[in-house]
């Protein structure tokens, strides 16, 4: 569910937000608390070494000598690991961001192909509401099946009964058609697209049935829209099935753990443990937050704050199709409406000059 926000809002109002922020993404998972606990263990170990392994005999100046604590680690030693981690996170985030907008483009393409298909159906099929709806409802059903079936690439597979009921209640498929789709073993969104092409082929209205050239052109236009629709479906499915390679993701997680562990260790010599805990918390929050945001962007079909509002896509396409088919505007031809004054006067050459 995409969260709308006001970029002009105050910084404090933005910082105090919870829903959809890295605070929600990170603080609801155990990793940051493990890193804080690790830093606390280093502090305790350093204190115990100082407490029980210190020579308490004073030297000539009255200072205690022979103090033994955890070995100090220079900040320069962790600079390389930190720099590499930032690079890995930024690269992973940029790849996820590119995927995010590629997927969004294909989602918009689905809606556009549906609108264009509906317009062609209205222009070229017979003037019968049932015939038009039969040709359009299958495309809308394919769009619903596409979005509902995206869970096949996640932990849960298939379309559940509630989603099938949504398709049925919107009068997109009959019970028999739903049963056929449930038993279909191929690429599920394409079967309703094929049904829509069959409906269009059967119902195609020709001014001159003997004009095979016009018939071929109209068939080609409808098929191009149907295959464009299928192309967007295939791109979405395959992009989701091919994320950033797992070895890279594994290395990224390994570097996060190692680097933040080094930071937790290097902060110990500062001695002021409340301050070091805050620094460890902020560093872990930012780095883990960047990774979690990238993970959410990589698969924007779900309930995360950055995910697409699929219900809005489906409902908009459904309402647009019905509104288009219900429109009963008739062409005026050479008759000018009484409320309109024709700005074009004279012959064609004069009209061109006036423009």
């Amino acid at each position: 569910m995409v969260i709308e926000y006001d970029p002009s809002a105050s910084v404090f109002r933005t910082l105090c937000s919870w829903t959809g922020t890295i605070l929600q993404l990170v603080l609801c998972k155990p990793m940051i608390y493990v890193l804080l606990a690790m830093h606390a263990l280093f502090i305790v170990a350093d204190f115990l070494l100082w407490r029980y392994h210190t020579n308490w005999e004073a030297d000539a100046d009255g200072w205690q000598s022979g103090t033994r604590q955890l070995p100090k680690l220079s900040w320069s030693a962790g600079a390389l690991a930190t720099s590499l981690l930032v690079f890995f996170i930024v690269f992973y985030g940029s790849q996820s961001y590119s995927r995010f907008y590629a997927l969004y483009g294909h989602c918009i393409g689905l809606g556009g192909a549906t609108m264009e298909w509906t317009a062609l159906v209205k222009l070229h099929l017979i003037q019968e509401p049932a015939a038009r709806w039969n040709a359009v409802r299958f495309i809308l059903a394919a769009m619903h099946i596409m979005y509902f079936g995206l869970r096949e690439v996640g932990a849960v597979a298939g379309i559940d009964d509630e989603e099938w009921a949504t398709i049925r209640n919107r009068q997109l498929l009959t019970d028999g058609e739903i049963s056929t789709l449930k038993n279909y073993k191929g690429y599920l969104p394409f079967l309703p697209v094929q049904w829509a092409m069959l409906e269009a082929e059967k119902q195609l209205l020709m001014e001159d049935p003997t004009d095979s050239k016009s018939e071929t052109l109209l068939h080609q236009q409808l098929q191009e829209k149907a295959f464009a629709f299928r192309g967007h479906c295939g791109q979405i499915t395959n992009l989701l099935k091919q994320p950033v390679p797992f070895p890279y993701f594994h290395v990224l997680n390994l570097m996060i753990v190692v680097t933040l562990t080094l930071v937790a260790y290097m902060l110990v010599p500062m001695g002021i443990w409340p301050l070091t805990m805050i620094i460890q918390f902020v560093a872990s929050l930012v780095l883990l937050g960047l990774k979690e945001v990238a993970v959410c962007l990589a698969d924007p079909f779900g309930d995360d704050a950055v995910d697409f509002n699929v219900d809005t896509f489906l409902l908009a396409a459904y309402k647009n199709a019905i509104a288009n088919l219900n429109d009963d505007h008739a062409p005026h031809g050479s008759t000018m409406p009484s409320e309109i004054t024709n700005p074009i006067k004279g012959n064609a050459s004069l009209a061109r000059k006036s423009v």
Side-chain angles (χ1 to χ4, degrees), residues 112-223:
T114 302
M115 292 179 66
E116 292 169 359
W117 173 270
T118 304
L120 289 173
V121 165
K122 185 176 180 179
L123 284 172
H124 301 302
L125 297 193
I126 60 177
Q127 307 296 317
E128 171 60 40
R132 290 179 172 181
W133 184 241
N134 280 332
V136 171
R137 67 185 178 91
F138 288 122
I139 290 291
L140 292 173
M143 191 175 183
H144 283 68
I145 291 170
M146 175 66 218
Y147 284 133
F148 291 158
L150 287 176
R151 293 187 306 171
E152 292 179 355
V153 299
V156 181
I159 304 174
D160 59 30
D161 292 337
E162 183 179 353
E163 291 166 340
W164 283 119
T166 299
I167 295 173
R168 182 66 183 88
N169 293 335
R170 290 180 178 177
Q171 311 304 316
L172 302 180
L173 295 173
T174 65
D175 293 334
E177 290 163 347
I178 290 175
S179 178
T180 300
L181 286 167
K182 287 182 178 181
N183 296 322
Y184 186 66
K185 303 302 181 183
Y187 186 58
L188 201 58
F190 184 62
L191 187 57
V193 174
Q194 187 173 353
W195 291 347
M197 289 192 291
L198 290 173
E199 288 287 341
E201 183 179 6
K202 181 178 180 180
Q203 302 167 12
L204 191 60
L205 175 64
M206 302 298 302
E207 294 181 359
D208 183 3
T210 62
D211 189 356
S212 59
K213 184 177 180 180
S214 297
E215 181 180 359
T216 301
L217 179 60
L218 293 175
H219 273 289
Q220 182 179 357
Q221 290 177 339
L222 288 166
Q223 288 176 1

Side-chain angles (χ1 to χ4, degrees), residues 318-353:
Y318 179 77
K319 290 182 176 179
N320 283 334
I322 292 178
N324 193 342
L325 295 177
N326 281 333
D327 176 54
D328 57 357
H329 175 77
H332 295 284
S334 60
T335 303
M336 184 63 60
S338 59
E339 297 87 354
I340 300 296
T341 301
N342 189 356
I344 302 176
K345 298 180 179 179
N347 57 32
S349 62
L350 290 177
R352 287 195 295 270
K353 290 181 180 179

Side-chain angles (χ1 to χ4, degrees), residues 194-307:
Q194 187 173 353
W195 291 347
M197 289 192 291
L198 290 173
E199 288 287 341
E201 183 179 6
K202 181 178 180 180
Q203 302 167 12
L204 191 60
L205 175 64
M206 302 298 302
E207 294 181 359
D208 183 3
T210 62
D211 189 356
S212 59
K213 184 177 180 180
S214 297
E215 181 180 359
T216 301
L217 179 60
L218 293 175
H219 273 289
Q220 182 179 357
Q221 290 177 339
L222 288 166
Q223 288 176 1
E224 285 178 354
K225 299 308 174 186
F227 290 147
F229 184 96
R230 187 225 61 82
H232 290 301
C233 292
Q235 288 291 334
I236 291 173
T237 302
N238 289 302
L239 278 172
L240 289 176
K241 289 183 177 180
Q242 185 56 46
V244 176
F246 177 73
Y248 187 95
F249 184 70
H250 181 269
V251 171
L252 174 62
N253 282 274
L254 178 63
M255 291 194 64
I256 286 178
V257 174
V258 171
T259 301
L260 290 177
T261 301
L262 287 175
V263 172
Y265 184 88
M266 290 185 294
L267 287 172
V268 173
M270 293 182 63
I272 308 175
W273 69 265
L275 178 61
T276 60
M277 290 292 288
I278 293 175
I279 296 174
Q280 175 70 12
F281 173 79
V282 173
S284 301
L285 179 67
V286 172
L287 294 175
L288 290 173
L290 289 174
K291 190 210 76 168
E292 293 297 333
V293 170
V295 169
C296 293
L297 291 175
D299 185 359
F301 297 98
D303 298 324
D304 296 327
V306 300
D307 288 340

Side-chain angles (χ1 to χ4, degrees), residues 5-162:
Y5 64 96
D6 182 10
S8 62
S10 66
V11 175
F12 296 104
R13 180 180 177 182
T14 303
L15 291 178
C16 292
S17 301
W18 169 261
T19 303
T21 65
I22 62 171
L23 296 175
Q24 185 181 34
L25 292 174
V26 176
L27 297 183
C28 293
K29 296 183 178 180
M31 188 61 207
I32 189 170
Y33 304 107
V34 172
L35 292 168
L36 290 174
M38 194 174 299
H39 178 58
L41 288 175
F42 288 142
I43 293 174
V44 172
D46 185 72
F47 172 77
L48 293 177
L49 285 174
W50 173 83
R51 178 66 179 82
Y52 295 105
H53 296 276
T54 299
N55 183 3
W56 292 97
E57 295 180 358
D59 57 18
D61 297 327
W63 296 97
Q64 296 172 354
S65 60
T67 302
R68 179 181 175 186
Q69 294 175 283
L70 289 177
K72 292 184 179 181
L73 184 63
S74 173
W75 281 100
S76 59
L80 177 61
T82 305
S83 301
L84 285 175
L85 175 60
V86 172
F87 171 79
F88 270 66
I89 290 180
V90 171
F91 179 80
Y92 180 69
S94 65
Q95 294 299 311
S96 299
Y97 198 69
S98 298
R99 284 166 48 86
F100 179 84
Y101 274 98
L103 290 167
Y104 182 75
H106 289 300
C107 290
I108 298 302
L110 283 179
T114 302
M115 292 179 66
E116 292 169 359
W117 173 270
T118 304
L120 289 173
V121 165
K122 185 176 180 179
L123 284 172
H124 301 302
L125 297 193
I126 60 177
Q127 307 296 317
E128 171 60 40
R132 290 179 172 181
W133 184 241
N134 280 332
V136 171
R137 67 185 178 91
F138 288 122
I139 290 291
L140 292 173
M143 191 175 183
H144 283 68
I145 291 170
M146 175 66 218
Y147 284 133
F148 291 158
L150 287 176
R151 293 187 306 171
E152 292 179 355
V153 299
V156 181
I159 304 174
D160 59 30
D161 292 337
E162 183 179 353

